[in-house]
Amino acid sequence: MLEIIGAGFGRTGSYSLKEALTRLGYGPCHHMTSLGEDAELLRRWEAVVDGKPIPWDEVLAGYRAALDWPVCAYWRELVAAYPHAKVILTVRPPDCWYASMSRTLYRSSRPAPPTPEGLLMRLEDLLDSGLRRRRRISREVIWKGTFGGRFADREHAIEVFDRHNAEVRAHVPADRLLVFDTAQGWEPLCDFLGVPVPAEDFPHLNRAAAFQDGLARRRRRILTGRAMVGAHGDAVR
């Protein structure tokens, strides 16, 4: 049963929060990265995005916490479906958030532009069906659904970001909500959850540079795998 709902947008420290919650005993914790680790989970999210009637207990089966996209796009539904779950809204300065999104998630999953970079993205999609399916979810939920196809319009994207945060604050009762900047560390999070503060440092993970390094490694893996298949003379499909 879901105990914690993360309502904050991606690139607001959600991966750091995932790790922090796991260390506090709230794992497994659902994150966008989970879609690349579980084929059945990916199938369930595809059903949600396609508008099929699928219970949230089935979509998020086995998870005690869930955050980041695509979860945060369905925060209202989840808050209603799990009335006893606590809600964490991760935040950061809007300018910093937009810059991070532009360098990372938008770069990796936006609709492929008519450029050499876009050609590489389309090639990756052809070679890796799982990546192609995850990108479709991102495009439908984030770029089309949340930002209306206008994320590249910085002013519009920041307006959407600010409005989302304001709506979460207004909708979720104060005693059920933590507005959390991961720079605050363990104390506010542990106080909200009623658990002891760990002796270890708070995890600050998945910064923009690390995200970009991960994208480069993934691209090399996909394209090298393709080159190796060709070198062995196997059919290319």
Side-chain angles (χ1 to χ4, degrees):
M1 180 67 69
L2 203 65
E3 299 174 53
I4 298 173
I5 300 164
F9 279 177
R11 307 311 300 171
T12 58
S14 56
Y15 196 80
S16 297
L17 179 60
K18 172 187 181 292
E19 180 62 24
L21 290 173
T22 301
R23 295 184 191 183
L24 292 174
Y26 288 93
C29 181
H30 183 292
H31 182 272
M32 195 171 196
T33 55
S34 305
L35 275 66
E37 301 165 354
D38 186 334
E40 176 59 25
L41 176 65
L42 178 59
R43 185 201 62 77
R44 296 196 298 265
W45 271 112
E46 287 175 320
V48 172
V49 172
D50 291 339
K52 296 177 181 177
I54 179 169
W56 286 112
D57 279 348
E58 181 179 340
V59 177
L60 299 172
Y63 289 100
R64 295 184 64 189
L67 43 82
D68 199 74
W69 273 301
V71 164
C72 63
Y74 297 89
W75 69 271
R76 289 182 183 273
E77 294 89 336
L78 291 170
V79 166
Y82 298 97
H84 301 294
K86 296 191 174 187
V87 181
I88 301 175
L89 175 65
T90 43
V91 296
R92 70 185 297 188
D95 289 344
C96 296
W97 166 80
Y98 185 78
S100 179
M101 280 284 291
S102 298
R103 294 194 302 268
T104 57
L105 194 55
Y106 185 61
R107 177 186 169 196
S108 70
S109 64
R110 71 194 188 281
T115 63
E117 175 69 17
L119 179 61
L120 282 173
M121 292 175 70
R122 288 189 287 272
L123 180 58
E124 288 175 327
D125 285 350
L126 285 171
L127 298 176
D128 189 326
S129 62
L131 176 61
R132 179 175 68 249
R133 293 163 64 193
R134 296 194 300 275
R135 278 178 167 162
R136 186 179 79 86
I137 290 174
S138 294
R139 289 163 185 164
E140 293 297 321
V141 173
I142 306 172
W143 313 125
K144 289 174 62 176
T146 300
F147 296 104
R150 295 175 56 196
F151 179 81
D153 179 342
R154 179 180 177 279
E155 183 176 344
H156 171 75
I158 288 179
E159 179 184 338
V160 171
F161 175 75
D162 287 338
R163 182 170 64 246
H164 170 85
N165 291 344
E167 289 175 353
V168 174
R169 291 173 187 257
H171 183 79
V172 181
D175 62 350
R176 191 181 170 190
L177 175 67
L178 172 67
V179 179
F180 182 54
D181 185 329
T182 58
Q184 296 172 289
W186 288 114
E187 284 74 11
L189 178 63
C190 293
D191 182 63
F192 177 66
L193 298 176
V195 297
V197 174
E200 62 189 295
D201 291 338
F202 188 90
H204 293 285
L205 307 173
N206 204 25
R207 300 185 188 275
F211 190 105
Q212 291 167 335
D213 287 345
L215 292 183
R217 288 195 300 272
R218 183 182 72 190
R219 176 159 291 173
R220 286 195 298 270
R221 175 183 59 79
I222 294 172
L223 298 181
T224 301
R226 163 71 164 179
M228 289 173 64
V229 169
H232 284 83
D234 296 333
V236 174
R237 304 187 187 279

